[in-house]
Amino acid sequence: MWSLGFLAFLGVAAAEDGLNGWLRYASLPCSGQCRSNLPSTIVTLNTTKTSPVYVAGTELKIGLKGVYGKNVQVTHNKCKVSSSIIVGTIDQYRRSCGAVNGVPDLEEDGFWLNTKGDNVQIFGQNERGALYGAFEYLSMLAQGNFSEVSYASNPSAPIRWVNQWDNMDGSIERGYGGPSIFFNNGQIVQDLTRVAEYARLLASIRINAVVINNVNANATLLDPTNLDGVGRVADIFRPYGIQVGLSLNFASPQTYGGLSTFDPLDASVIEWWSNITAQVYERVPDMAGYLVKADSEGQPGPQTYNRTLSDAANLFAKEVKPYGGIVMYRAFVYNQLNESIWTDDRAKAAVNFFKDLDGEFEDNVVIQIKFGPIDFQVREPASPLFANLFNTSMAIELQVTQEYLGQQSHLVYVAPLWKTILDFDLRVDHQPSLVRDIVTGKRFNRKLGGSAAVVNVGTNTTWLGSHLSMSNLYAYGRLAWNPADDTQEILQDWIRLTFGLDRKVLDTITRMSMESWPAYEQYSGNLGIQTLTDILYTHYGPNPASQDNNGWGQWTRADQTTIGMDRTVANGTGYSGQYPDEIAAMYESIESTPDDLLLWFHHVNYTHRLHSGKTVIQHFYDSHYTGAETAQGFLEQWESLQGKIDTERYNHVRHFLDYQTGHSIVWRDAINNFYYNLSGIPDQAKRVNHHPWRIEAESMKLDGYKTYNVSPFETASGSVAIVTISNNTAGTASTKIPFPSGTYDLAVNYYDLFGGQSQWKVYLNDRKIGQWTGNSEDIFSHTPSIYLDGHSATRIKFRNVKVRRGDILKIVGMPNGTEPAPLDYVALLPAGIID
Ligand code: GCW
């Protein structure tokens, strides 16, 4: 047997379970330039173990050892050591070593990186900046890049935060990577190992603050024991240059403090918050600030007392100001609406609530604005609020967690979507006004500004629930630092750091990732109609009807002949008038509205012709076929990398992509069937509702199975499925194969429900050719469903099955728990047919 030492000697990598993310420091060969350019010593200019500069030294040591197997000594406060990396702040260097030459003035958190052969200087404006510089140098080394560089890098904005929607009981709202790393059972967890590992990842992408609890906040976080826990968490983050922030529940003075009111202008309420804030800062002297969701989705707020949103924000702002804290006040404020009122429009809410308060906020208040006016949909226009506040600081809110974008069970590289917003020019006062220049504070000269992303990592070793979704976290950090960066270049750094330098690996994952958001948009909601997920349940699978006929205001206004929200000033909700003149004019007219936002702004016939020349309905049909086809390609592309990626991650990702190929077809058929059923307009290419290679389960010979009408109807082929008659007896569905003899891929569409793990077995003439278990709730990251619907609909495929016409195909389903082994259809797919 091999000893551990021998394995280490061989350089056998630790399990590739994703825990180290892009900080794997996987071994690279080293000769020539590499040998002569590897420093032999690390000099850190701070000896305090909890300082970011000290941490930088440790990280450099780990990196050099990991990537190039080189053992390097860390020493402290020595200035002139040859063949060394010297890391510290500019001031520390000046104090210990004298003048620095050629380094430009750095902004807060900025750094200077200078490499000459095996002599490397890393200077931060502050300790945090020095740590960022160390990670930058390590990123070069880990990508085999030994070029001589000499440059300063400064952040675009001071606010580069992440938000976690973690609940005190350990669950995470819209989290797909397992339970919380912070909370369990109403308290902060004892073992903070994962918190330290998260801190390291976040520091490497230059995140400087993390809000650890859900914006739907629980006041019990404020009890003294929990605040002690927050203190422990902050102690873990601090060495990585990351501050902790807290979400507040606006009603806490009453619900938790026992006061009779939570009126923000009431003296006793102000005193109560003052007292709480003092307790917080006693434990966390560098607490970043408060995050507030109020008067939104049932959360209490100042409107209860007819106070303004600025009254509320300023209450907290005044409390945290003496400690240097800020208040992130969310613009996500809206009321329930009535769809029968043509002019009602949730998209107008943020401007309506905040515009008139411009200038009323304390200067340490930042309005945190979701990128679009509704809610992280697959495509939205930029929030018009960015163009309506000139004397108020703003931050853009993004979602790394893929709430409406496949919940990490679908590959969707989201950064290109964010880019459509960041690079959008709002033309305020007819001047260039890119969203990225507005939120960073440049356009309107604000000192504060930046971005916040909802991340929601959990205890899963992949952090987010799947390996490939980590590109989104990486890209978020990079764009927060520099929103002008190119999303494909960011992606490629991530790929090299995560999967190595092989050219084919790089090209393949690049291609899949760059195709993924467009494909997801194609097989979900098109032309700006929103994602079309089930908005009343899991936000995962298709359910277009759930958008309408309720107060949530995510309407499509689809009927038999027309679809889309008329948001024009002339004839609709007036939303387009919330933009500056040039943009308002563009969206007001159908002619100048880009096709991809047509239905966001206009209510048109299904037969309306797009700029592309297609009708709206034919565009829906075609896009859904194109998108699902692209997704089939992801699996093939990934499989071409077998042997080039460690088995653990190869299999994990393969399994997810295989699932996505099936679920993209569920999406395609559901949306196409829904609008075909509504409009009655056939697909010109005759694909929709026409599946020559399918055999519906309900048309098979059933024994122990019965038919079941699926809701929503469009999530079952032919709207009907079958379920076992009893909860504990197997059912059998059999059929004679009507197709020509030959080799086929056999696809089986079934429903995998939460609540049981049924088993299915497939036989051909009584010979078993395949089997599977309905356990996807334990494997995939998305929210499971207890119903037969678009969330639970799943496809499994058995490749290269040889059949003869007249063979008997039989599926035996054994129910389990509340899962009645449901089946929708089988398809026998000749080579090249997707069905
Ligand atoms: O996106 C929606 C989510 C809610 C979330 C809310 C918000 C935390 O469905 O789960 O609540 O937005 O952003 O506040």
Side-chain angles (χ1 to χ4, degrees), residues 165 173-174 214-216 293 296-297 330 332 370 375-376 397 399 403-404 539:
W165 287 351
E173 185 158 349
R174 316 299 175 190
N214 192 353
V215 287
N216 293 328
K293 172 180 180 180
S296 166
E297 302 186 330
R330 292 179 88 223
F332 190 61
K370 291 190 182 185
D375 197 12
F376 305 126
E397 183 176 313
Q399 253 191 349
E403 177 182 352
Y404 293 92
H539 295 190

mmCIF file of all heavy atoms in Angstrom, residues 165 173-174 214-216 293 296-297 330 332 370 375-376 397 399 403-404 539, ligand 1:
data_model
loop_
_atom_site.group_PDB
_atom_site.id
_atom_site.type_symbol
_atom_site.label_atom_id
_atom_site.label_comp_id
_atom_site.label_asym_id
_atom_site.label_seq_id
_atom_site.Cartn_x
_atom_site.Cartn_y
_atom_site.Cartn_z
ATOM 1 N N TRP A 165 -28.626 34.996 1.835
ATOM 2 C CA TRP A 165 -30.009 34.979 2.327
ATOM 3 C C TRP A 165 -30.179 33.804 3.301
ATOM 4 O O TRP A 165 -31.079 32.982 3.162
ATOM 5 C CB TRP A 165 -30.985 34.891 1.159
ATOM 6 C CG TRP A 165 -31.110 36.178 0.372
ATOM 7 C CD1 TRP A 165 -30.598 37.399 0.679
ATOM 8 C CD2 TRP A 165 -31.825 36.354 -0.866
ATOM 9 N NE1 TRP A 165 -30.944 38.324 -0.279
ATOM 10 C CE2 TRP A 165 -31.691 37.710 -1.243
ATOM 11 C CE3 TRP A 165 -32.570 35.486 -1.686
ATOM 12 C CZ2 TRP A 165 -32.278 38.224 -2.411
ATOM 13 C CZ3 TRP A 165 -33.140 36.002 -2.836
ATOM 14 C CH2 TRP A 165 -32.998 37.354 -3.190
ATOM 15 N N GLU A 173 -32.788 30.966 1.865
ATOM 16 C CA GLU A 173 -33.815 31.327 0.882
ATOM 17 C C GLU A 173 -33.140 31.417 -0.487
ATOM 18 O O GLU A 173 -32.167 32.153 -0.662
ATOM 19 C CB GLU A 173 -34.461 32.662 1.278
ATOM 20 C CG GLU A 173 -35.611 33.039 0.369
ATOM 21 C CD GLU A 173 -36.590 34.035 1.007
ATOM 22 O OE1 GLU A 173 -36.508 34.275 2.226
ATOM 23 O OE2 GLU A 173 -37.440 34.558 0.262
ATOM 24 N N ARG A 174 -33.660 30.646 -1.434
ATOM 25 C CA ARG A 174 -33.085 30.611 -2.788
ATOM 26 C C ARG A 174 -31.622 30.159 -2.777
ATOM 27 O O ARG A 174 -30.793 30.658 -3.536
ATOM 28 C CB ARG A 174 -33.194 31.954 -3.498
ATOM 29 C CG ARG A 174 -34.531 32.660 -3.362
ATOM 30 C CD ARG A 174 -35.668 31.881 -3.928
ATOM 31 N NE ARG A 174 -36.951 32.567 -3.654
ATOM 32 C CZ ARG A 174 -38.136 32.012 -3.878
ATOM 33 N NH1 ARG A 174 -38.229 30.789 -4.333
ATOM 34 N NH2 ARG A 174 -39.242 32.674 -3.618
ATOM 35 N N ASN A 214 -30.326 36.658 5.964
ATOM 36 C CA ASN A 214 -31.363 36.948 4.972
ATOM 37 C C ASN A 214 -31.935 38.356 5.126
ATOM 38 O O ASN A 214 -32.163 38.823 6.249
ATOM 39 C CB ASN A 214 -32.481 35.913 5.152
ATOM 40 C CG ASN A 214 -33.477 35.907 4.018
ATOM 41 O OD1 ASN A 214 -33.436 36.754 3.123
ATOM 42 N ND2 ASN A 214 -34.395 34.949 4.053
ATOM 43 N N VAL A 215 -32.214 38.993 3.986
ATOM 44 C CA VAL A 215 -32.908 40.296 4.020
ATOM 45 C C VAL A 215 -34.305 40.163 4.617
ATOM 46 O O VAL A 215 -34.848 41.141 5.137
ATOM 47 C CB VAL A 215 -32.999 40.936 2.620
ATOM 48 C CG1 VAL A 215 -31.644 41.468 2.188
ATOM 49 C CG2 VAL A 215 -33.579 39.973 1.595
ATOM 50 N N ASN A 216 -34.904 38.992 4.484
ATOM 51 C CA ASN A 216 -36.124 38.721 5.256
ATOM 52 C C ASN A 216 -35.616 38.325 6.642
ATOM 53 O O ASN A 216 -35.439 37.157 6.950
ATOM 54 C CB ASN A 216 -36.938 37.589 4.630
ATOM 55 C CG ASN A 216 -37.507 37.986 3.282
ATOM 56 O OD1 ASN A 216 -37.823 39.148 3.050
ATOM 57 N ND2 ASN A 216 -37.631 37.033 2.372
ATOM 58 N N LYS A 293 -34.412 45.551 4.081
ATOM 59 C CA LYS A 293 -35.541 45.298 3.188
ATOM 60 C C LYS A 293 -36.788 45.669 3.978
ATOM 61 O O LYS A 293 -37.080 45.030 4.994
ATOM 62 C CB LYS A 293 -35.589 43.827 2.775
ATOM 63 C CG LYS A 293 -36.858 43.429 2.001
ATOM 64 C CD LYS A 293 -36.840 41.951 1.610
ATOM 65 C CE LYS A 293 -38.102 41.565 0.844
ATOM 66 N NZ LYS A 293 -38.118 40.136 0.440
ATOM 67 N N SER A 296 -41.808 45.555 1.845
ATOM 68 C CA SER A 296 -41.649 44.744 0.644
ATOM 69 C C SER A 296 -41.992 43.301 0.956
ATOM 70 O O SER A 296 -41.467 42.735 1.914
ATOM 71 C CB SER A 296 -40.188 44.846 0.191
ATOM 72 O OG SER A 296 -39.875 43.870 -0.760
ATOM 73 N N GLU A 297 -42.886 42.730 0.160
ATOM 74 C CA GLU A 297 -43.224 41.315 0.286
ATOM 75 C C GLU A 297 -43.512 40.920 1.730
ATOM 76 O O GLU A 297 -42.982 39.927 2.231
ATOM 77 C CB GLU A 297 -42.096 40.447 -0.301
ATOM 78 C CG GLU A 297 -41.832 40.763 -1.751
ATOM 79 C CD GLU A 297 -40.830 39.854 -2.424
ATOM 80 O OE1 GLU A 297 -39.927 39.361 -1.731
ATOM 81 O OE2 GLU A 297 -40.959 39.651 -3.646
ATOM 82 N N ARG A 330 -32.663 48.728 0.411
ATOM 83 C CA ARG A 330 -33.044 48.103 -0.863
ATOM 84 C C ARG A 330 -34.205 48.830 -1.547
ATOM 85 O O ARG A 330 -35.182 49.206 -0.897
ATOM 86 C CB ARG A 330 -33.407 46.637 -0.654
ATOM 87 C CG ARG A 330 -32.192 45.821 -0.279
ATOM 88 C CD ARG A 330 -32.556 44.391 -0.046
ATOM 89 N NE ARG A 330 -32.515 43.576 -1.241
ATOM 90 C CZ ARG A 330 -33.439 42.683 -1.564
ATOM 91 N NH1 ARG A 330 -34.515 42.527 -0.820
ATOM 92 N NH2 ARG A 330 -33.304 41.941 -2.639
ATOM 93 N N PHE A 332 -36.104 47.444 -3.617
ATOM 94 C CA PHE A 332 -37.082 46.402 -3.967
ATOM 95 C C PHE A 332 -38.341 46.577 -3.117
ATOM 96 O O PHE A 332 -38.624 45.789 -2.219
ATOM 97 C CB PHE A 332 -36.429 45.042 -3.726
ATOM 98 C CG PHE A 332 -37.191 43.864 -4.256
ATOM 99 C CD1 PHE A 332 -37.457 43.728 -5.603
ATOM 100 C CD2 PHE A 332 -37.617 42.860 -3.394
ATOM 101 C CE1 PHE A 332 -38.144 42.623 -6.085
ATOM 102 C CE2 PHE A 332 -38.295 41.747 -3.867
ATOM 103 C CZ PHE A 332 -38.569 41.634 -5.218
ATOM 104 N N LYS A 370 -31.916 46.286 -7.682
ATOM 105 C CA LYS A 370 -31.790 45.112 -8.557
ATOM 106 C C LYS A 370 -31.563 45.574 -9.992
ATOM 107 O O LYS A 370 -32.099 46.602 -10.399
ATOM 108 C CB LYS A 370 -33.049 44.248 -8.483
ATOM 109 C CG LYS A 370 -33.209 43.544 -7.138
ATOM 110 C CD LYS A 370 -34.329 42.511 -7.155
ATOM 111 C CE LYS A 370 -34.455 41.887 -5.758
ATOM 112 N NZ LYS A 370 -35.439 40.793 -5.688
ATOM 113 N N ASP A 375 -37.359 41.394 -11.240
ATOM 114 C CA ASP A 375 -36.759 40.466 -10.285
ATOM 115 C C ASP A 375 -35.840 39.448 -10.957
ATOM 116 O O ASP A 375 -36.204 38.278 -11.057
ATOM 117 C CB ASP A 375 -37.881 39.741 -9.522
ATOM 118 C CG ASP A 375 -37.379 39.077 -8.247
ATOM 119 O OD1 ASP A 375 -36.242 39.372 -7.840
ATOM 120 O OD2 ASP A 375 -38.131 38.277 -7.663
ATOM 121 N N PHE A 376 -34.638 39.843 -11.338
ATOM 122 C CA PHE A 376 -33.629 38.885 -11.803
ATOM 123 C C PHE A 376 -34.127 37.959 -12.909
ATOM 124 O O PHE A 376 -33.835 36.748 -12.906
ATOM 125 C CB PHE A 376 -33.118 38.030 -10.641
ATOM 126 C CG PHE A 376 -32.570 38.805 -9.476
ATOM 127 C CD1 PHE A 376 -33.046 38.586 -8.180
ATOM 128 C CD2 PHE A 376 -31.566 39.749 -9.659
ATOM 129 C CE1 PHE A 376 -32.523 39.294 -7.103
ATOM 130 C CE2 PHE A 376 -31.043 40.450 -8.580
ATOM 131 C CZ PHE A 376 -31.521 40.224 -7.305
ATOM 132 N N GLU A 397 -27.696 45.516 -7.587
ATOM 133 C CA GLU A 397 -27.829 44.193 -6.968
ATOM 134 C C GLU A 397 -27.949 43.138 -8.064
ATOM 135 O O GLU A 397 -28.785 43.230 -8.953
ATOM 136 C CB GLU A 397 -29.059 44.162 -6.052
ATOM 137 C CG GLU A 397 -29.221 42.834 -5.324
ATOM 138 C CD GLU A 397 -30.382 42.813 -4.322
ATOM 139 O OE1 GLU A 397 -30.519 43.758 -3.525
ATOM 140 O OE2 GLU A 397 -31.156 41.847 -4.365
ATOM 141 N N GLN A 399 -27.615 38.666 -8.913
ATOM 142 C CA GLN A 399 -27.780 37.357 -8.271
ATOM 143 C C GLN A 399 -26.788 36.365 -8.862
ATOM 144 O O GLN A 399 -26.843 36.059 -10.054
ATOM 145 C CB GLN A 399 -29.201 36.818 -8.489
ATOM 146 C CG GLN A 399 -30.087 36.864 -7.266
ATOM 147 C CD GLN A 399 -31.393 36.094 -7.436
ATOM 148 O OE1 GLN A 399 -31.751 35.678 -8.525
ATOM 149 N NE2 GLN A 399 -32.108 35.899 -6.344
ATOM 150 N N GLU A 403 -31.654 31.916 -9.105
ATOM 151 C CA GLU A 403 -33.049 31.709 -8.695
ATOM 152 C C GLU A 403 -34.001 31.453 -9.870
ATOM 153 O O GLU A 403 -34.785 30.516 -9.839
ATOM 154 C CB GLU A 403 -33.516 32.931 -7.896
ATOM 155 C CG GLU A 403 -34.977 32.849 -7.494
ATOM 156 C CD GLU A 403 -35.453 34.085 -6.745
ATOM 157 O OE1 GLU A 403 -34.638 34.942 -6.394
ATOM 158 O OE2 GLU A 403 -36.679 34.171 -6.528
ATOM 159 N N TYR A 404 -33.939 32.300 -10.876
ATOM 160 C CA TYR A 404 -34.825 32.156 -12.038
ATOM 161 C C TYR A 404 -34.065 31.593 -13.241
ATOM 162 O O TYR A 404 -34.559 31.622 -14.352
ATOM 163 C CB TYR A 404 -35.398 33.511 -12.444
ATOM 164 C CG TYR A 404 -36.343 34.135 -11.446
ATOM 165 C CD1 TYR A 404 -35.885 35.017 -10.474
ATOM 166 C CD2 TYR A 404 -37.714 33.846 -11.478
ATOM 167 C CE1 TYR A 404 -36.756 35.609 -9.571
ATOM 168 C CE2 TYR A 404 -38.589 34.440 -10.578
ATOM 169 C CZ TYR A 404 -38.106 35.318 -9.635
ATOM 170 O OH TYR A 404 -38.972 35.912 -8.744
ATOM 171 N N HIS A 539 -40.028 28.764 -8.632
ATOM 172 C CA HIS A 539 -39.244 29.620 -9.545
ATOM 173 C C HIS A 539 -38.293 28.809 -10.422
ATOM 174 O O HIS A 539 -37.276 29.314 -10.861
ATOM 175 C CB HIS A 539 -38.437 30.690 -8.789
ATOM 176 C CG HIS A 539 -39.284 31.684 -8.087
ATOM 177 N ND1 HIS A 539 -38.787 32.837 -7.507
ATOM 178 C CD2 HIS A 539 -40.627 31.727 -7.873
ATOM 179 C CE1 HIS A 539 -39.768 33.522 -6.955
ATOM 180 N NE2 HIS A 539 -40.899 32.869 -7.162
HETATM 181 O O1 GCW B 1 -36.348 37.360 -5.862
HETATM 182 C C1 GCW B 1 -37.307 37.478 -4.860
HETATM 183 C C2 GCW B 1 -37.226 36.186 -4.150
HETATM 184 C C3 GCW B 1 -37.409 36.260 -2.672
HETATM 185 C C4 GCW B 1 -36.503 37.344 -2.134
HETATM 186 C C5 GCW B 1 -36.908 38.669 -2.763
HETATM 187 C C6 GCW B 1 -35.960 39.793 -2.381
HETATM 188 C C7 GCW B 1 -35.304 37.355 -0.056
HETATM 189 O O2 GCW B 1 -38.139 35.305 -4.725
HETATM 190 O O3 GCW B 1 -37.073 35.010 -2.151
HETATM 191 O O4 GCW B 1 -36.527 37.420 -0.739
HETATM 192 O O5 GCW B 1 -36.882 38.583 -4.162
HETATM 193 O O6 GCW B 1 -35.066 40.068 -3.171
HETATM 194 O O7 GCW B 1 -36.113 40.365 -1.334
#
